[in-house]
Amino acid sequence: MLIDAHYHLVAEEWYPEGWWQTVTSMYLNGMKALGMEMPLDMIRQTMIPSLWDPEGEALIRDMDANGIDKSVILPMDYWLMYGEPKASLETQLKAYGELQKKHPDRIVAYATVDPRRPDASEVLERAVKEWGLRGLNLYPQTGYFVNEPRSYRVFKKACELELPVTCHVGQLGAAPLRAKYGDPIHLDDIIQDFPELRITAGHMAFGWHEQLFYLAGLKYNLATDVSAWQDVARSNYVKFCQVLRHALDRLGPDRVLFGTDNPFVAALMSTRDYADIIRELPSKAPAGIAFTEDEVNKILGGNALRLLSL
Ligand SMILES: [Zn+2]
């Protein structure tokens, strides 16, 4: 079983141009780090459109090609940071619901809403009751703390609707995204005040993974996913093994989920290759860092099945 618990289905008109500029500059920096050069304009005109997949056809093809059984798709709401996109948030959420309806065994579609929207709780309720969405994704780096009163309203609604929550944490995203809002310590209030909520902290909190692992160690309703660590897995395999081992040691084998953050990092490594790196850990990890088959099976699919009620 292979489940990608962290995928973003994206379309040009769902997000404002400012976001696409941010992704363009992230690609520029990523390519520079790999010793590659491409003008900004060319990245924007060639690489960015290749991410757009409003009907999810490319996603299903990619799942077939890479042996992915299920994908959890996470929408995003950049309302206050970049302004409203051409297509409303409602359009995006409905499209997520439609794709899930078309592929109920393979696609698990989440909702999203910026808690600063005055009608945030109503949007979330509608997304679940009318369009069938099955979880909540939050992206606080756009400018809000998860433990501020407006966010509490949304968490309360998520609890009421019994939704699993994925929260992007860590130091990710170029300007104008602000890393400080992604410090996992702010989740401490949420996991304590909503003990029944199941929260997955995305990206193993890039830059703050140690903090996340210690925080989650004793808070049993907090899990994490390994999305967007492909770069580390490829360029520094020993470090990747050490970090993943640390995650498993602190959180136990039942709360670490496989995820990719694709389509954004698909050019760097295919999902199959990333899953294979994890699959082969029991035989290939460096001396002194041991992984079991049982841990690998749980990461690749077993944990998502259970934690996200798939
Ligand atoms: Zn993400």
Side-chain angles (χ1 to χ4, degrees), residues 6-8 74 76 78 137 139 166 168 172 202-203 225 227-228 260-262 264:
H6 193 130
Y7 186 95
H8 299 285
L74 310 173
M76 295 181 286
Y78 295 127
N137 177 47
Y139 205 114
T166 291
H168 280 71
L172 45 101
H203 305 313
D225 73 51
S227 62
T260 61
D261 208 29
N262 282 339
F264 296 116

Side-chain angles (χ1 to χ4, degrees), residues 136-294:
L136 168 67
N137 177 47
L138 294 174
Y139 205 114
Q141 290 88 342
T142 56
Y144 59 89
F145 289 106
V146 289
N147 56 351
E148 60 182 82
R150 290 174 295 193
S151 304
Y152 263 72
R153 281 186 308 154
V154 173
F155 282 113
K156 207 168 156 241
K157 182 55 74 180
C159 257
E160 232 177 88
L161 297 164
E162 297 180 17
L163 298 177
V165 178
T166 291
C167 185
H168 280 71
V169 289
Q171 300 172 33
L172 45 101
L177 296 168
R178 292 184 188 245
K180 67 177 178 183
Y181 298 107
D183 189 331
I185 195 63
H186 305 302
L187 280 175
D188 193 28
D189 288 328
I190 304 305
I191 50 187
Q192 294 197 52
D193 292 340
F194 299 97
E196 65 277 47
L197 208 58
R198 293 157 290 158
I199 302 179
T200 302
H203 305 313
M204 293 201 291
F206 255 142
W208 283 310
H209 56 271
E210 297 265 329
Q211 287 92 324
L212 172 67
F213 299 161
Y214 281 101
L215 174 69
L218 294 170
K219 311 284 168 52
Y220 301 109
N221 52 340
L222 186 58
T224 192
D225 73 51
V226 302
S227 62
W229 279 74
Q230 290 92 318
D231 185 29
V232 179
R234 197 180 70 162
S235 63
N236 194 341
Y237 180 66
V238 174
K239 182 180 175 187
F240 178 75
C241 293
Q242 286 166 337
V243 170
L244 187 56
R245 186 64 258 165
H246 190 195
L248 292 164
D249 288 344
R250 297 297 309 175
L251 281 79
D254 299 322
R255 290 188 282 142
V256 180
L257 280 64
F258 180 74
T260 61
D261 208 29
N262 282 339
F264 296 116
V265 289
L268 200 62
M269 184 185 285
S270 75
T271 303
R272 184 183 291 279
D273 287 349
Y274 193 31
D276 280 347
I277 286 178
I278 292 171
R279 216 170 262 135
E280 291 165 0
L281 285 170
S283 59
K284 293 202 174 156
I289 311 177
F291 294 90
T292 67
E293 297 288 343
D294 182 53

Side-chain angles (χ1 to χ4, degrees), residues 9 14 54-56 73 90-104 107 109 127 130-133:
L9 185 76
W14 295 347
E55 311 280 328
I73 56 173
E90 182 176 320
T91 308
Q92 184 189 172
L93 297 179
K94 271 186 180 165
Y96 266 59
E98 304 265 305
L99 186 64
Q100 179 178 250
K101 213 190 258 172
K102 216 163 145 190
H103 303 277
I107 298 294
E130 282 186 38
W131 309 319
L133 302 183

